[in-house]
Each structure stands twice: as structure tokens, then as C-alpha cells.
Amino acid sequence: MNLLEKLDAAAAARKAMLPEGVGAFGIPIEEVYSATEARIGERRVLLLGTNNYLGLTFAPECIEAAHKALDEEGTGTTGSRMANGSYYGHRALEREFADFYDCCSGIVFTTGYQANLGTISGLVGRGDTVLIDGDSHASIFDGCILSGAEIIRFKHNDMADMEKRLRRLGGRAETTLIIVEGIYSMLGDQAPLPEIVELKNKYNCTLLLDEAHSLGVLGETGQGLVEKTGLLKEVDFITGTFSKSLCSIGGFCVSNHPQLDQLRYVSHPYIFTASPSPATIASTRAALQLLRNGSDLRKQLWKNCTQLYTRLKETGYILGPEPGPVIAAILDSPKQALQIWHRLLENNIYVNLILPPAAPDGKSLVRCSVNAAHTTEQIAHVGETFAKLYHEVLQP
Amino acid sequence: MTDNNYDEIVQLLCDRLSSLASADVNITAETNLISDLSIDSIKLLNLIMEIEDAFDISIPINALADVQTVHELACLIAKIKSAS
């Protein structure tokens, strides 16, 4: 099979799962009206397929900051920070992230994906080990592959399984980086951080926590799972993304280990990428301030999460183990998931469709992302529509 | 590696793989895990976790890049077992 035939085979597999004309992946969004509404085709749809958890995509403070940076500094930096220099905004945002997490060092990356890729591949290498959760995001997995370290998976959120694998490592545990996520993107469940920290200390490992989905969502000031659990000082490295609660694009890593700054000289995903544009950095800085002071937004977000989670659970849907901004209905077959997804869109509700092997355990997911800008009425409408489809599609 | 060890590992792998493959596939040491069994990458990784527990070893995911057949997987397991 030649290179192009391999792609044909992948296309055939996709077509077998998704009938012709059903564009569930990369759906064209024609116009965006607000943090909760957009136009898909001729439909004005309610958006529950974004990661806009605090609903800040149209925050005037962020838009104004981006406009100003665009006017004053231009459209792009046209190169990497190593070769072309660091703008004031890059350095300021790094200081602001370090301050937010009470850490001595912070690095900004051009995407959230690169934050994991660059941090992991900079921290570990051949001869080291990474111990990752079985449901880890692709950016974590790819970072591990790039690093050349030995990759060991443990069963998702299963602490007995994690300890078993740490025990098997023996003396190599001391050069092991454990990587977990604050909120997992598939089912919306949280890592059992207190137990993970206990094991990390028992086996003398290093711990990296990815707060991509939990930044802005968990904790009084929105730091994430570290704040909710009071374990900020126990986590060695925290990564995260700007593309969810902060509504732009980019990523970060913070740490109290001053060695973090050396990543700037060894991490290819940091060195060989153009730095974030001034407008991106400016809107992210404004959004970070709103996030830090956004306890009311978090209150509204959690009200919405609980409302939808409870409604779907009462209806009979199998969901992830706890409420959160990611609420996934777990379905037995791609056909069921596709039917629900399609019927939701016909009812002007856009959610995410996730099919095997991307979904855990061979299941299929219809995944909602709730945000603080959704109104109680909008969430109630989504719940009612899901309930109607449960009876029409799953229990006819 | 003794022949006994190798045979035991192959037997265990064939038993575990038969639960994932369709009934009409005869699994042998030469069976290709991906092309013959049509097992997706996630199912294969989950199977590896079961195998790790059965032998009380850890199999680095990176090492699987060179594994295509049941025979190659059995050799890898035997190598890790003998080193641990």
C-alpha cells in the first residue's frame, strides 16, 4: 500500500462510520453571533460544542485590548522568540501567569498543544519514564513520544493501577514524570489529585498537571484543580491552554522549579515556532484578569452544569461520573450517537460527536460543553430536547 | 528465554486476543495484530494493560512501535520479563 492509498483507506474507514453528507467533524460555522449562538448552514444554532467555559469570546475588555495591540504592534511577530525576540506582551503574560499561580517561572507557548509538547519533551528524554493516564489528551501522548522517554499508561483515574505501575518501576520511579489532567476532556471527570500527590511523594516522582479544561472552571480564583484541592505547592509543573476559558489561542507552563526557564533552550516546540501575535497576547492578558476576578462567572457556569447534568441523568442518559462543563452522553454505538447528534442539529443545537477510537472503551459520545453565558432557559431547552430524543431514538 | 516461557506467553496472548477478534480468525504466532485482527489502537493498548498485569511487568508504549505480530509481542514480553 503506497502513501496515498493509506490515506484512501483512512477515508474509507471514516465513510463507513459517517454516511455521505454528514459533516459532523469540522462542521462549517458561517457566522458567530455571540458566545452561545452561531449560524450553521441556514440554521441559527445554540452552541454547546465550544470550550468557551466562561463565555468571554465577546468580552469588550478582550476585544478592545486586541484592537489596541493590532493597531500598535501589527498583525504578527513573524518569527520565534529565540531568533526574533520577545515582545513586551509575551514577557508580561508570563509574569502574570507566574503570579497567578504564585510560581517563580512561567513560559508562554504558541498553542496549548505545544505547551504540552514543549514542556514534556523538554523535561524528559531517553532513559526517563513518563507515567500517563490512559485517557490522556493527544498533546500529552505526542509530547511523550517526542521526548523519547519510556511511556507507561495507567488505567484512567485508577490509583491502585497507578501504584502498581510505580512499584514495577523500582528505582526508575525517581526519574519518572507523572502526567494527569485537571478535568478530562472526554467524560468531564476530575483527576483524584490528593491520592496522586500522595503516590508522587511516596515514590519520589515529579508531577505535571494539565489544567486545560479546569483553568477558569475550578477553584475560587479559577486556578483549576490545584486550587480546588489546595495542592498548588505539591504540583511541580502546571500546563494549560488559552483556547478554552481564555478564549484565544496559546498555552503556558508554570513552575516553582527555576529550571523551567531552561526549556526555552532545549524545547523544539518552543524554539522553532513563531511566537503568539500581539493581539492574541493582549486579549489573553485581558481575559486572565477577567478569569481571576470571575467568581460570578464560575457560579453561573456551575449552575448551568448542574442543571444540564441533572436533567440528562434524570432522563436516563449514561453520563460521566460527575457534573462539570464537559457533559458527555455515553452511547453504545456510533449509529446511536450519530442519530442523536444529527437530531440535535435539526433542533438547532450544536454539540460534539466523538466516535471510537477517540472515545474511551469503544463507546461513542455526544458531548456538550456548557458555558457561563448560557441562560437558564437555553439550558432547559437543551435538556428538553435531549429528553425528547432519548425517547424517540434510544427508547422508541 | 526458554521455549516453555515463550510458548506460555504465545498461548496467553492468543487466548486474550481471541476475545477481541472475530470468531473465524485463527490466531497464531504469525498473526498480525493490526492487519489480521483489525483491532484499533485503543483496544490494543487496553489489551496491553491486561497483559502487563498477567505478567506483572510494564511494557513501554514506545516498544510497541516495533511489534506487528503475536510472535514479536511474545518476544518483547519475554525480554522485559527476563530483565525485571
Side-chain angles (χ1 to χ4, degrees):
Chain A
M1 189 185 289
N2 69 28
L3 292 178
L4 296 179
E5 282 168 348
K6 279 187 198 168
L7 291 176
D8 289 341
R14 185 174 57 80
K15 270 185 190 162
M17 209 172 272
L18 283 178
E20 201 71 50
V22 178
F25 303 129
I27 197 163
I29 293 176
E30 309 297 348
E31 280 182 272
V32 180
Y33 301 120
S34 69
T36 62
E37 290 187 304
R39 180 164 70 81
I40 293 178
E42 296 307 314
R43 297 177 184 283
R44 187 181 182 104
V45 300
L46 191 52
L47 292 172
L48 276 98
T50 73
N51 301 310
N52 185 10
Y53 299 134
L54 297 181
L56 295 176
T57 40
F58 285 84
E61 297 90 335
C62 300
I63 290 174
E64 190 184 332
H67 276 159
K68 187 166 181 288
L70 198 56
D71 289 340
E72 293 178 359
E73 297 175 82
T75 53
T77 64
T78 73
S80 74
R81 291 174 64 183
M82 178 77 95
N84 302 64
S86 291
Y87 284 30
Y88 172 80
H90 298 135
R91 291 173 280 130
L93 184 56
E94 285 174 343
R95 283 193 301 273
E96 285 156 9
F97 263 107
D99 173 68
F100 181 40
Y101 283 102
D102 195 21
C103 285
C104 66
S105 297
I107 298 186
V108 161
F109 293 85
T110 303
T111 67
Y113 175 85
Q114 284 172 314
N116 278 334
L117 207 66
T119 301
I120 296 166
S121 65
L123 286 175
V124 291
R126 284 189 193 284
D128 302 324
T129 305
V130 281
L131 184 61
I132 63 173
D133 187 281
D135 281 4
S136 289
H137 188 263
S139 59
I140 291 173
F141 190 75
D142 291 353
C144 294
I145 293 282
L146 183 64
S147 75
E150 282 200 346
I151 306 165
I152 309 284
R153 286 167 88 228
F154 62 91
K155 287 179 188 163
H156 175 57
N157 273 354
D158 184 332
M159 292 301 98
D161 195 68
M162 182 180 172
E163 175 152 28
K164 190 164 52 188
R165 284 158 214 288
L166 282 168
R167 178 181 52 74
R168 285 177 192 153
L169 284 169
R172 288 193 297 145
E174 289 188 11
T175 54
T176 294
L177 178 67
I178 299 169
I179 307 176
V180 295
E181 298 177 46
I183 290 179
Y184 285 89
S185 61
M186 289 292 117
L187 300 180
D189 48 345
Q190 298 168 25
L193 195 58
E195 291 88 343
I196 291 167
V197 164
E198 202 178 313
L199 288 175
K200 171 231 165 185
N201 289 332
K202 181 176 173 183
Y203 288 89
N204 202 17
C205 308
T206 304
L207 175 61
L208 186 154
L209 173 65
D210 179 359
E211 298 271 23
H213 287 270
S214 36
L215 171 66
V217 168
L218 298 176
E220 178 57 30
T221 67
Q223 285 177 335
L225 189 60
V226 284
E227 189 174 20
K228 182 190 169 190
T229 55
L231 292 167
L232 174 62
K233 297 298 174 195
E234 296 288 343
V235 175
D236 296 281
F237 298 91
I238 297 170
T239 58
T241 180
F242 305 160
S243 58
K244 296 179 171 56
S245 286
L246 293 169
C247 297
S248 63
I249 184 168
F252 71 92
C253 178
V254 293
S255 177
N256 261 324
H257 296 293
Q259 292 93 334
L260 176 67
D261 279 322
Q262 292 308 307
L263 257 59
R264 298 179 197 279
Y265 307 100
V266 299
S267 171
H268 283 202
Y270 174 84
I271 299 168
F272 297 102
T273 309
S275 58
S277 73
T280 296
I281 292 290
S283 78
T284 306
R285 291 182 65 200
L288 183 58
Q289 291 309 311
L290 295 175
L291 182 152
R292 293 179 78 156
N293 301 316
S295 56
D296 288 347
L297 292 173
R298 273 181 285 286
K299 211 173 284 175
Q300 183 60 42
L301 168 65
W302 279 97
K303 182 170 170 277
N304 290 345
C305 297
T306 307
Q307 184 188 346
L308 186 60
Y309 187 90
T310 307
R311 182 71 176 95
L312 298 194
K313 190 127 193 133
E314 284 171 358
T315 300
Y317 282 100
I318 308 294
L319 306 176
E322 58 191 314
V326 176
I327 300 174
I330 305 167
L331 300 158
D332 286 333
S333 70
K335 189 179 169 198
Q336 283 180 336
L338 189 58
Q339 272 182 302
I340 299 269
W341 178 86
H342 207 258
R343 294 287 305 278
L344 283 166
L345 193 57
E346 284 175 355
N347 282 273
N348 303 324
I349 296 169
Y350 171 64
V351 299
N352 301 132
L353 174 68
I354 299 166
L355 302 178
D361 299 327
K363 300 286 186 183
S364 298
L365 306 178
V366 172
R367 184 181 68 177
C368 303
S369 295
V370 177
N371 80 43
H374 287 127
T375 64
T376 304
E377 293 72 28
Q378 285 174 327
I379 295 293
H381 171 64
V382 173
E384 289 309 310
T385 310
F386 262 97
K388 185 177 76 170
L389 296 180
Y390 183 84
H391 297 296
E392 290 178 8
V393 176
L394 302 179
Q395 305 271 314
Chain B
M1 158 179 48
T2 67
D3 287 347
N4 274 350
N5 264 349
Y6 173 80
D7 291 343
E8 278 171 26
I9 294 168
V10 169
Q11 187 56 52
L12 184 136
L13 290 178
C14 290
D15 290 348
R16 298 288 170 109
L17 286 164
S18 63
S19 65
L20 294 176
S22 46
D24 56 344
V25 178
N26 180 33
I27 300 169
T28 69
E30 301 316 312
T31 300
N32 186 299
L33 297 168
I34 304 295
S35 60
D36 293 339
L37 300 182
S38 302
I39 297 176
D40 70 45
S41 54
I42 299 295
K43 276 188 186 157
L44 182 61
L45 288 177
N46 290 339
L47 172 75
I48 293 294
M49 281 181 157
E50 283 180 31
I51 292 167
E52 286 176 321
D53 288 348
F55 293 107
D56 196 26
I57 56 169
S58 287
I59 304 173
I61 293 175
N62 331 44
L64 295 171
D66 297 327
V67 169
Q68 296 210 8
T69 64
V70 173
H71 164 71
E72 287 166 350
L73 182 55
C75 289
L76 175 65
I77 291 167
K79 187 177 157 196
I80 294 171
K81 258 173 73 73
S82 65
S84 62

